[in-house]
Amino acid sequence: MTTGFETMTKDIDMQSEWKIETRTTLSGIFSIVSLVAVVAMAAAPFAVSRGVVQDLFFILTMLTLAQSWNLLAGYAGLISVGQQLFVGCGAYALFAAVILAGWDPLLAIPVAGLFSALIAIPTAFFVFRLYGPYFAIGTWVIAEVGRLILAQWKALGGGTGTSLPRDATREMVGISGLADWFGMRPSAAADALAYWLALAAAVATIALVYKLLRSKHGLGLAAVRDNETAARALGVDARRLKTAIYLLTAFVTGVVGALIYLQKGRISPDAAFSLTDWTAYVVFIVVIGGIGTIEGPILGVLVFFLLQNAFSSYGSWYLLALGALAIVTMLFAPQGLWGLISHRTGWELFPVRRRLRGGSASYSEKGGPNG
């Protein structure tokens, strides 16, 4: 005869066999493939032409911008059309540190991100009092104000802009080592160094977003996105969470802006604060790939790059084609291309949903969850 204590012990043993998992077999395989791909991409400057390295640099920087905007809009529900503010501020901070303070460009890159995050603090104070389309318009207006202010900075060229000193980029930390060890010319070594930094930024951003979404803060973020009122009722500090995400994306965007204009070597207010280049294209990438997913921006940036290379010579028709594709995607695949693929195949390369796995055979045989 089974005693109550023995029954309770068996129940505890059965419960201990259950565990919560997020990873899947496919995601495990993909993580190995991704690691191999990252290693191969790190070796690209030694195996491909300088033009290919510059193309990969473009893909990686746009991917990082897309992932940060996707975190802001797809998970925090903050539809910003003013992210060019942080690209421009990060770029100008880099140029100011190099030209006016004489810093090494590599040391100036994290400072550029911090400067963008600092600018985001008063920006958040104003735009967080706006909701929906008013928030989007408010971010765009503030970005335009930032462009007009920096256009008055005569020490950095005013409205016409300025260029980095050639010696500054040729004497960066690591350039001489690449030239001595691998026989690279200074210009090619500078491109390789910027490319490796862009690769590191892209990998770090994706890893950070994935880790965040799998944490308790990620659950709170999803709750805020789906129903902010209900999330507040459950104890989620929505304002604090949104502010943290806003500042984080400002930092990442500022770092990427600094990297982009370090590679370009020249800056102007109109280019650094371009709505089309640093927000419209990024929104297109996320919408086409799939907003609210990590996989979406990865697929979207590849589609964008292929379209840009195939049709950019057609002038304004190229922009009309991008707009038409975005509209068609929103009408027939509102969750983006990756959403369409995932819906039909069930694939999740970066799974964040929690699943209950395990259970004893005896419990399953008695009609339990595995029965």
Side-chain angles (χ1 to χ4, degrees):
M1 182 175 178
T2 304
T3 65
F5 176 77
E6 292 173 341
T7 302
M8 182 177 66
T9 303
K10 289 181 180 179
D11 290 341
I12 292 173
D13 290 340
M14 286 191 295
Q15 291 174 7
S16 64
E17 294 177 8
W18 293 88
K19 58 181 179 179
I20 297 175
E21 293 181 350
T22 54
R23 294 184 180 275
T24 63
T25 302
L26 178 62
S27 69
I29 296 172
F30 179 73
S31 63
I32 297 173
V33 173
S34 299
L35 181 60
V36 174
V38 169
V39 173
M41 291 180 70
F46 305 114
V48 299
S49 67
R50 186 180 173 190
V52 174
V53 171
Q54 291 174 347
D55 286 341
L56 291 173
F57 175 85
F58 172 78
I59 291 172
L60 290 169
T61 51
M62 293 302 290
L63 173 59
T64 308
L65 290 176
Q67 289 289 359
S68 64
W69 190 85
N70 184 46
L71 177 63
L72 188 68
Y75 292 102
L78 299 171
I79 310 296
S80 170
V81 292
Q83 293 303 97
Q84 66 272 18
L85 170 68
F86 306 121
V87 172
C89 286
Y92 266 96
L94 172 83
F95 273 64
V98 173
I99 296 174
L100 303 181
W103 288 17
D104 186 284
L106 294 187
L107 298 178
I109 290 174
V111 175
L114 292 174
F115 178 72
S116 294
L118 186 64
I119 293 296
I121 294 174
T123 300
F125 178 80
F126 291 105
V127 297
F128 275 33
R129 285 165 167 73
L130 305 173
Y131 296 92
Y134 299 104
F135 176 89
I137 294 171
T139 57
W140 172 71
V141 170
I142 291 176
E144 284 298 296
V145 171
R147 180 183 66 84
L148 293 173
I149 290 174
L150 286 175
Q152 309 307 313
W153 198 348
K154 301 300 182 182
L156 292 179
T160 58
T162 188
S163 299
L164 282 174
R166 182 173 297 183
D167 292 342
T169 55
R170 293 194 174 192
E171 295 176 1
M172 286 191 299
V173 174
I175 296 296
S176 60
L178 290 173
D180 294 339
W181 298 339
F182 303 105
M184 289 184 175
R185 294 189 302 174
S187 56
D191 281 347
L193 202 54
Y195 166 75
W196 285 323
L197 291 173
L199 178 61
V203 172
T205 301
I206 293 173
L208 178 62
V209 172
Y210 187 41
K211 184 174 179 60
L212 174 64
L213 295 179
R214 293 180 61 192
S215 68
K216 63 178 182 180
H217 299 296
L219 288 173
L221 202 58
V224 170
R225 177 194 60 189
D226 295 338
N227 192 320
E228 185 171 337
T229 303
R232 290 179 184 273
L234 293 173
V236 178
D237 191 341
R239 182 64 173 269
R240 182 178 180 182
L241 202 53
K242 285 185 174 183
T243 302
I245 295 299
Y246 188 74
L247 296 180
L248 175 62
T249 56
F251 173 81
V252 173
T253 306
V255 167
V256 175
L259 270 175
I260 290 171
Y261 281 92
L262 171 63
Q263 199 265 350
K264 289 178 178 291
R266 178 166 180 80
I267 195 171
S268 68
D270 290 342
F273 291 86
S274 172
L275 173 65
T276 301
D277 291 344
W278 313 128
T279 297
Y281 286 160
V282 168
V283 173
F284 173 84
I285 288 169
V286 176
V287 169
I288 287 295
I291 191 169
T293 64
I294 298 176
E295 300 92 342
I298 298 174
L299 178 59
V301 76
L302 295 176
V303 172
F304 173 71
F305 177 75
L306 294 174
L307 289 175
Q308 188 183 54
N309 279 270
F311 301 110
S312 59
S313 60
Y314 292 94
S316 59
W317 288 103
Y318 155 68
L319 297 175
L320 290 174
L322 290 183
L325 179 59
I327 292 171
V328 170
T329 302
M330 287 185 286
L331 288 175
F332 297 100
Q335 294 181 334
L337 297 178
W338 179 256
L340 190 64
I341 294 171
S342 180
H343 178 72
R344 294 189 175 185
T345 63
W347 292 352
E348 287 183 284
L349 304 182
F350 295 91
V352 294
R353 291 186 298 174
R354 289 157 176 80
R355 298 174 176 83
L356 192 62
R357 302 289 190 189
S360 64
S362 59
Y363 184 61
S364 300
E365 290 168 359
K366 292 179 181 178
N370 289 337

